[in-house]
Amino acid sequence: MIPEPPRRALSFLRWFCREDCIEEIEGDLVELFEMMWLDNPARAKRQFIWRVLLSFHPEFLRSPAKLRNSNLKSMIQHNILMSYRSFKRYKSSFLINLFGLSTGLACVLLIWLWVSDELSIDKFHANDAQLYEVMEHVTQANGMITRYTTPGPMSVALVEEFPEIEKAVTTTSLWEQRFVLTVNNNDITATGMYADPDFFTMFSYDILQGSAAEVLKDKQAIVLSERLAMSLFGTTENLIGKAVQWEHERDFLISGIMKQPPTHSSLNFDFVMSFELFRAENEWVRNWFNTAATTYVQIKEGTDVAALNEKLFDLVRVKTENQADHRSPFVTKFSDLYLYNRYENGVQAGGRIDYVTLFSVIAIFILLIACINFMNLSTAQASRRLKEVGVKKAMGANRSTLIFQYLSESICIVLISMVVSLLIVILFLPKFNQITGKELQLVFDIQLFLSVVAIMLFTGIVAGSYPAFYLSAFNPVKVLKGKLSNLKGEQWARKGLVVFQFALSITLIVAVWVVYQQIDYAQTKNLGYDQENVIRVRKNGDLERAERAETFIQEVKKLPGVLEASALSHNLTGHNGGTYGVEWPGKDPNDRTEFERVAADYGAIELLNIKMKEGRPFDRSFGADSSKIIFNEAAIEFMGIEDPIGKKVVLWGNEREIIGVMEDFHFDSFREEVKPLFIALNPEWAFNILVRVEEGRTKEAIAGLDQLHAELNAGYQLDFHFMDESFDILYASEQRVSLLSRYFAGLAVIISCLGLFGLAAFTAERRIKEIGIRKILGSSEWSIIYLLGKDFTSMVLIAILIALPPSYLLSREWLNSFEYRIELEWWLFAGSAAVALLIAWITVSLQTMKVSRVNPVICIKDE
Amino acid sequence: MSEQSLGEFEELVLLMVAAYHQQAYGVLILEKLEEKLGRKVNISAIHVALKRMEKKGFVDSNYGGITGERGGRRKKFYVITALGKRMLDQQYSIRTSIYQEIPNISFNS
């Protein structure tokens, strides 16, 4: 048998070894192998492989196949050199491109970070695909509303009656309640919620100690987050089974420690207690009529959600024997709810996703504008590089080589811009985080790298393709003879791009202006009540007892700096709770329209400066006001009661006399119409103590409040808010969007202007001889400015004409989501157009002024 | 000067090439070197040394005929060139002249 050396090693040797060495090396190795084979075949094989590996030496390596017979390397070197020279020679256009592209890319990167963060919210749960939230469509006389709240028995019924549903939990996650926890007299206020036992097995909030399935089984159980455990105990070790006092009322036993919910979680809580306890103690949560809790389900894999929703449609009707026939539950994917959180008339109507789309569009706009700058400047420069192209072509360069050259030039500049933009991003990220209220970070991982490379290639190719194809198409003979080919077409293309660029900028200006106006309107509009200098104190602990609260309010009134104090159940920044338990003569028995219900103490209406249209507010001097009721105008109108004062309505079975009608005030977002509302006198239910303080004496008043609170409500922290601040939070997301879009629109305008500036400079330079001759023949400076400016003016005017209709439609669309909105006035559009035109003029005139003053002798002396 | 330098191992290989005039090729050099030095020598080190010396012009090479052995690959025989010989002589004379300068040292202690 002929000994055969290991085949793989041999073919590896043949693969890497140079042609002129292979014969000698292979021969020697095989000879040695054959000799050793006689003694010890296995060892011979091992040695052969080892020797092949040792021969993998630079001296014997084949040079990479591609480079051996091509000039690719030298071509790339040449291209980089040409790019470098052209950057050096045309510094101004290089800098314009660099600045434009790098700010454009920086915007794109920042927006990309923000968008990917928004998209990742709630997506971290391992069961993400199966986690659904139960919601309810509620039919009202004035349309359908959609709510997150569900009845308490829902979760049990879902698991028992629907085989598609694997697990279901009821929670109080929507409320974000804050409670006092105490360990060794150390009081900590933290956000807590109740949840059913399966909560931790459905959601991926990691349990560090304890078992996810068991931690909420016991009614006394409490699960603390690591952070909370640290602040209560100073350690996270050996806490299982220890007691924590809750609200100074009862003790809970720690059953588990969990990781703090991540920032990508829309549910926020520091500790969790068992919903079983809540259910046992609150009668209202055990029936199907009241809704307040939130229900989450985990459906089985492969479930047809549409079919499930059809089955769920009648659930509440069946359970309440058709008494609550206005409510239709349905499930929707939990992790989608963060972005798709708006429903209009029972139909999904966007939500936060609108802003994600808006910013993605802005990012693309800005990048496009920067790319257009690059295209325009490089085609404009083409005439300077005609000779280069001509010579290259005459020497035998074909078109693809030239395309490759210009593309590599554009990718080269994009690469430099990318480095600059990364620096910009690092510099501005803290500021950006402050505006967006996020904790974004630039993490240099593979994902970022791939995105950066993708964005770079995209930009490089978009920006470079037009000049590349355009420049490479010149006819060398004509070019070398000095004849410019298709100049007309080139100018049209360039003008078209400028028009497009300005149309984008104008659209952005209009959009930003509209958003700003609307936000401003919302913040300065007369709300119907006076929110300035009002502090809202949430009742807790002993203050929940009526007499103690009464004493507290009386004492507060005596504090220095306090003008007035009262109590109200509503926080006036959103829907707090409603009822359809109002009956009036002529009410349709099937009507389930809810009235916002508000409980108040004496003086609350006066404290808030809510104007009475008719009648009077609650007043001690009349007595027995607890059997009276006050409506807002919207409610009176809805019920259709004429001359309401003194008429009777029935509330929850008790007759009540209408003593007053308030003018409508905004207790909910401006996106909502003012809904029917009533106020009943019921100090016990009024959970918020309102304190009006004297202007400028806020600090004094708060200090007094704090002291008083410590005396009358020992062990609890003063939980207070300024009403105007809470109101601002209602518009926080709009405000962020407004501020951010202002920045981005500003950048877009600056980048377009840079392009215009470069183009104006170029045109002026090209026509310098013409200008010289005109001046010699007696043309004035102004006529020269007019001559050069009119082209640009007409371009911007066309851009305005193109941009206004879409920007009008866009703004109207956005404003339509607000029930109370500004009117789209003509001057808003005229103003934006004027701003664009003015900026364009200033930009262009910077150039033309310089050119018009030129000494004609200098510019026409050489030819 | 790198063209003219000769490494220690290269010198050994060159000596072998000179000693087995017209017969020296990779495997033979390996065997004889191992025999003389009494230690294992790496074949690819010899290949590298030969290759470098060929570039420097110390050795010349020519292929032998095809045989049934060696997987049908030809042997590459090396011969020393005049330049190589001069280099060896020079090295030899440097060494001997230094050697002769060594005084008589007694190692009796």
Side-chain angles (χ1 to χ4, degrees):
Chain A
M1 175 186 136
I2 307 162
E4 242 186 61
R7 209 178 313 149
R8 280 193 197 182
L10 194 61
S11 52
F12 175 63
L13 177 72
R14 287 180 183 159
W15 175 74
F16 74 74
C17 194
R18 275 163 55 162
E19 304 271 308
D20 56 334
C21 303
I22 184 72
E23 182 129 34
E24 176 190 15
I25 293 172
E26 191 188 322
D28 284 358
L29 294 192
V30 172
E31 188 179 337
L32 286 170
F33 170 78
E34 283 167 352
M35 280 194 299
M36 181 54 86
W37 176 268
L38 301 175
D39 294 351
N40 184 344
R43 190 157 167 229
K45 280 190 183 172
R46 275 205 308 278
Q47 274 193 346
F48 184 83
I49 294 170
W50 178 236
R51 285 181 178 134
V52 166
L53 291 179
L54 284 177
S55 302
F56 190 74
H57 189 280
E59 202 81 41
F60 308 130
L61 289 193
R62 229 185 252 274
S63 47
K66 268 194 178 168
L67 291 183
R68 219 158 17 113
N69 279 325
S70 89
N71 56 0
L72 195 81
K73 200 174 133 201
S74 50
M75 256 180 62
I76 289 175
Q77 270 173 350
H78 171 77
N79 286 349
I80 290 173
L81 185 69
M82 294 302 285
S83 310
Y84 172 68
R85 282 183 186 157
S86 87
F87 294 160
K88 227 169 93 174
R89 181 137 177 229
Y90 307 115
K91 281 196 194 75
S92 62
S93 55
F94 170 69
L95 285 178
I96 287 172
N97 279 333
L98 183 69
F99 181 80
L101 283 174
S102 51
T103 38
L105 287 171
C107 290
V108 170
L109 276 177
L110 284 175
I111 291 173
W112 177 79
L113 280 174
W114 182 79
V115 166
S116 55
D117 189 79
E118 284 283 283
L119 293 180
S120 71
I121 298 266
D122 282 338
K123 300 281 183 200
F124 62 92
H125 297 289
N127 295 329
D128 178 43
Q130 287 136 268
L131 287 179
Y132 280 73
E133 179 157 354
V134 184
M135 293 174 67
E136 281 187 3
H137 290 312
V138 183
T139 312
Q140 309 257 280
N142 45 6
M144 196 188 265
I145 56 172
T146 303
R147 288 196 301 219
Y148 291 84
T149 51
T150 52
M154 177 78 92
S155 58
V156 179
L158 287 176
V159 176
E160 279 174 2
E161 295 169 32
F162 294 86
E164 300 93 330
I165 290 172
E166 208 169 312
K167 294 172 186 169
V169 291
T170 314
T171 71
T172 61
S173 63
L174 204 61
W175 306 350
E176 297 211 351
Q177 277 174 303
R178 294 177 67 73
F179 299 105
V180 177
L181 294 185
T182 313
V183 172
N184 302 331
N185 295 325
N186 177 15
D187 292 337
I188 303 268
T189 308
T191 309
M193 67 170 197
Y194 297 93
D196 272 333
D198 271 331
F199 182 74
F200 285 103
T201 60
M202 282 170 57
F203 293 91
S204 303
Y205 297 109
D206 295 344
I207 293 284
L208 301 171
Q209 294 170 39
S211 100
E214 302 289 328
V215 282
L216 290 176
K217 280 263 157 74
D218 199 83
K219 274 188 195 169
Q220 266 200 304
I222 188 168
V223 179
L224 304 182
S225 76
E226 254 182 319
R227 197 168 67 194
L228 181 60
M230 273 311 277
S231 39
L232 279 172
F233 293 93
T235 172
T236 56
E237 298 301 315
N238 301 320
L239 294 181
I240 306 290
K242 288 210 174 139
V244 175
Q245 199 182 31
W246 174 84
E247 289 283 283
H248 299 290
E249 267 174 31
R250 71 168 87 206
D251 281 349
F252 282 86
L253 296 178
I254 298 172
S255 59
I257 303 288
M258 63 173 180
K259 240 178 160 166
Q260 192 71 31
T263 46
H264 285 164
S265 163
S266 63
L267 303 184
N268 269 313
F269 48 90
D270 302 311
F271 64 95
V272 185
M273 299 165 290
S274 175
F275 196 80
E276 291 298 330
L277 177 77
F278 192 80
R279 199 175 271 139
E281 296 195 341
N282 293 279
E283 198 280 325
W284 61 266
V285 79
R286 294 199 290 270
N287 68 47
W288 283 83
F289 292 95
N290 296 305
T291 66
T294 39
T295 307
Y296 303 101
V297 296
Q298 180 177 341
I299 58 168
K300 293 211 170 100
E301 264 176 89
T303 303
D304 179 356
V305 178
L308 177 63
N309 276 338
E310 258 170 54
K311 283 163 78 178
L312 284 175
F313 188 75
D314 278 327
L315 184 66
V316 174
R317 268 176 283 273
V318 171
K319 293 288 175 186
T320 60
E321 290 159 348
N322 277 332
Q323 289 187 58
D325 60 355
H326 59 307
R327 286 162 39 198
S328 331
F330 67 101
V331 295
T332 186
K333 195 152 177 267
F334 168 66
S335 62
D336 287 347
L337 264 179
Y338 176 75
L339 289 176
Y340 300 88
N341 57 338
R342 268 169 57 73
Y343 284 84
E344 268 167 23
N345 246 331
V347 182
Q348 216 294 312
R352 289 188 185 86
I353 189 73
D354 296 342
Y355 295 131
V356 172
T357 325
L358 175 73
F359 279 115
S360 309
V361 169
I362 289 182
I364 293 170
F365 273 18
I366 291 179
L367 196 60
L368 266 183
I369 291 176
C371 287
I372 288 175
N373 275 355
F374 183 86
M375 292 183 196
N376 271 340
L377 290 178
S378 34
T379 49
Q381 270 175 27
S383 49
R384 291 164 172 165
R385 297 177 74 170
L386 283 178
K387 292 245 154 60
E388 178 194 327
V389 174
V391 170
K392 278 194 165 172
K393 279 198 149 182
M395 300 287 278
N398 54 21
R399 201 171 162 199
S400 59
T401 329
L402 287 169
I403 291 176
F404 182 69
Q405 185 198 329
Y406 289 110
L407 273 184
S408 57
E409 189 170 317
S410 74
I411 287 176
C412 207
I413 191 167
V414 171
L415 190 80
I416 301 172
S417 312
M418 192 48 119
V419 174
V420 177
S421 72
L422 280 174
L423 291 178
I424 295 176
V425 169
I426 291 169
L427 205 65
F428 281 93
L429 202 55
K431 177 78 185 159
F432 187 69
N433 276 337
Q434 197 190 328
I435 299 171
T436 54
K438 284 197 180 281
E439 292 166 33
L440 302 175
Q441 272 176 328
L442 198 61
V443 186
F444 289 92
D445 56 3
I446 186 77
Q447 204 199 352
L448 178 79
F449 178 76
L450 287 179
S451 324
V452 162
V453 170
I455 294 173
M456 234 166 63
L457 281 180
F458 172 79
T459 319
I461 289 168
V462 166
S465 58
Y466 174 62
F469 286 98
Y470 169 74
L471 281 171
S472 60
F474 288 132
N475 180 343
V477 178
K478 282 189 188 161
V479 161
L480 287 177
K481 275 184 170 170
K483 279 185 193 157
L484 293 177
S485 52
N486 60 349
L487 248 181
K488 265 268 154 56
E490 171 204 352
Q491 274 180 354
W492 276 112
R494 205 178 301 148
K495 280 180 184 168
L497 286 172
V498 170
V499 166
F500 179 63
Q501 200 177 26
F502 262 80
L504 290 183
S505 304
I506 292 162
T507 314
L508 279 179
I509 296 177
V510 172
V512 167
W513 203 341
V514 169
V515 171
Y516 177 76
Q517 290 269 325
Q518 171 65 23
I519 305 286
D520 193 54
Y521 169 80
Q523 272 163 344
T524 51
K525 183 182 189 298
N526 187 2
L527 293 169
Y529 67 93
D530 184 4
Q531 52 164 346
E532 303 281 327
N533 299 315
V534 178
I535 298 173
R536 180 165 61 86
V537 178
R538 182 93 190 158
K539 283 184 188 171
N540 53 14
D542 287 342
L543 290 185
E544 284 169 19
R545 293 198 344 253
E547 0 28 296
R548 182 61 70 93
E550 183 57 36
T551 325
F552 184 73
I553 291 173
Q554 292 312 324
E555 289 300 314
V556 167
K557 284 184 183 170
K558 294 178 196 154
L559 288 175
V562 171
L563 294 175
E564 199 63 57
S566 181
L568 193 74
S569 67
H570 208 281
N571 61 20
L572 300 185
T573 50
H575 169 70
N576 275 198
T579 179
Y580 55 87
V582 184
E583 284 158 48
W584 62 92
K587 183 184 181 182
D588 173 3
N590 290 324
D591 186 11
R592 292 285 184 264
T593 305
E594 292 195 351
F595 285 54
E596 191 78 7
R597 62 180 156 81
V598 181
D601 198 352
Y602 289 105
I605 295 175
E606 295 94 319
L607 185 145
L608 289 167
N609 287 335
I610 295 172
K611 292 203 177 60
M612 300 300 293
K613 196 178 165 226
E614 291 174 72
R616 61 172 178 88
F618 298 116
D619 194 330
R620 273 181 220 278
S621 54
F622 285 82
D625 266 359
S626 54
S627 64
K628 307 289 193 300
I629 193 165
I630 297 176
F631 284 102
N632 69 354
E633 270 182 281
I636 296 294
E637 199 179 308
F638 179 75
M639 295 186 290
I641 301 179
E642 308 266 332
D643 293 328
I645 304 298
K647 294 249 166 81
K648 302 262 165 79
V649 296
V650 175
L651 175 65
W652 298 314
N654 299 319
E655 200 164 73
R656 286 184 185 242
E657 185 192 335
I658 304 175
I659 55 163
V661 177
M662 300 171 289
E663 284 182 10
D664 281 343
F665 59 93
H666 292 277
F667 58 86
D668 204 344
S669 157
F670 278 107
R671 289 187 186 276
E672 307 293 333
E673 193 185 355
V674 173
K675 301 229 170 78
L677 168 147
F678 68 81
I679 299 186
L681 185 69
N682 193 341
E684 211 171 332
W685 282 15
F687 304 115
N688 297 298
I689 295 171
L690 303 181
V691 182
R692 176 171 292 283
V693 298
E694 219 173 302
E695 178 97 46
R697 294 182 71 183
T698 318
K699 266 194 187 148
E700 206 180 332
I702 289 175
L705 266 178
D706 207 22
Q707 205 184 350
L708 191 65
H709 194 267
E711 277 168 35
L712 290 175
N713 196 15
Y716 292 88
Q717 279 165 345
L718 181 69
D719 184 6
F720 73 97
H721 300 273
F722 290 97
M723 287 198 65
D724 48 354
E725 275 176 20
S726 318
F727 180 78
D728 287 345
I729 291 170
L730 202 59
Y731 292 98
S733 69
E734 273 87 0
Q735 242 176 345
R736 279 176 186 151
V737 168
S738 160
L739 190 61
L740 272 183
S741 51
R742 246 177 290 164
Y743 280 124
F744 287 130
L747 272 175
V749 172
I750 290 174
I751 299 173
S752 334
C753 283
L754 270 178
L756 201 61
F757 180 80
L759 215 54
F762 169 78
T763 323
E765 196 191 306
R766 288 293 304 274
R767 296 174 78 172
I768 194 87
K769 290 226 162 67
E770 177 192 335
I771 291 163
I773 293 167
R774 279 175 186 270
K775 285 193 88 169
I776 283 176
L777 293 178
S779 183
S780 70
E781 278 180 22
W782 282 109
S783 63
I784 303 248
I785 291 175
Y786 169 76
L787 175 79
L788 291 173
K790 94 179 168 222
D791 253 13
F792 290 105
T793 311
S794 61
M795 277 190 263
V796 175
L797 284 176
I798 295 170
I800 289 168
L801 283 181
I802 292 175
L804 289 186
S807 50
Y808 173 75
L809 292 176
L810 276 174
S811 324
R812 208 182 53 182
E813 185 64 29
W814 185 73
L815 284 176
N816 271 344
S817 69
F818 289 88
E819 198 61 41
Y820 298 90
R821 54 184 178 249
I822 53 164
E823 289 301 314
L824 281 173
E825 307 275 1
W826 64 269
W827 55 261
L828 212 144
F829 296 94
S832 307
V835 167
L837 201 57
L838 196 69
I839 292 174
W841 270 336
I842 291 172
T843 316
V844 173
S845 58
L846 281 178
Q847 269 305 321
T848 48
M849 297 275 248
K850 197 176 87 186
V851 176
S852 63
R853 288 215 194 100
V854 78
N855 183 349
V857 177
I858 294 170
C859 56
I860 53 172
K861 74 177 175 191
D862 66 299
E863 183 63 63
Chain B
M1 277 303 282
S2 68
E3 289 294 313
Q4 292 306 314
S5 69
L6 191 63
E8 189 200 0
F9 188 73
E10 283 176 1
E11 189 182 348
L12 285 170
V13 175
L14 187 56
L15 282 167
M16 280 301 169
V17 171
Y20 295 88
H21 191 59
Q22 302 226 329
Q23 293 171 38
Y25 73 102
V27 177
L28 183 93
I29 299 172
L30 175 78
E31 281 170 352
K32 300 295 173 193
L33 263 184
E34 283 183 346
E35 199 177 298
K36 288 274 180 202
L37 297 176
R39 63 173 165 90
K40 284 280 170 203
V41 175
N42 190 346
I43 182 78
S44 61
I46 294 173
H47 285 147
V48 173
L50 287 170
K51 177 107 191 148
R52 285 185 182 157
M53 288 194 294
E54 196 172 3
K55 263 194 219 157
K56 293 177 200 164
F58 298 155
V59 294
D60 224 341
S61 66
N62 57 296
Y63 285 104
I66 297 174
T67 59
E69 287 172 341
R70 295 169 57 89
R73 295 293 193 181
R74 292 175 298 173
K75 286 176 183 169
K76 194 177 184 186
F77 292 109
Y78 289 88
V79 286
I80 191 161
T81 59
L83 181 67
K85 183 71 181 24
R86 232 182 4 254
M87 192 72 197
L88 271 186
D89 292 345
Q90 200 184 330
Q91 293 278 72
Y92 182 75
S93 63
I94 292 171
R95 275 159 213 237
T96 34
S97 73
I98 299 174
Y99 189 83
Q100 277 160 358
E101 280 172 34
I102 301 174
N104 257 338
I105 307 170
S106 91
F107 292 98
N108 294 335
S109 59

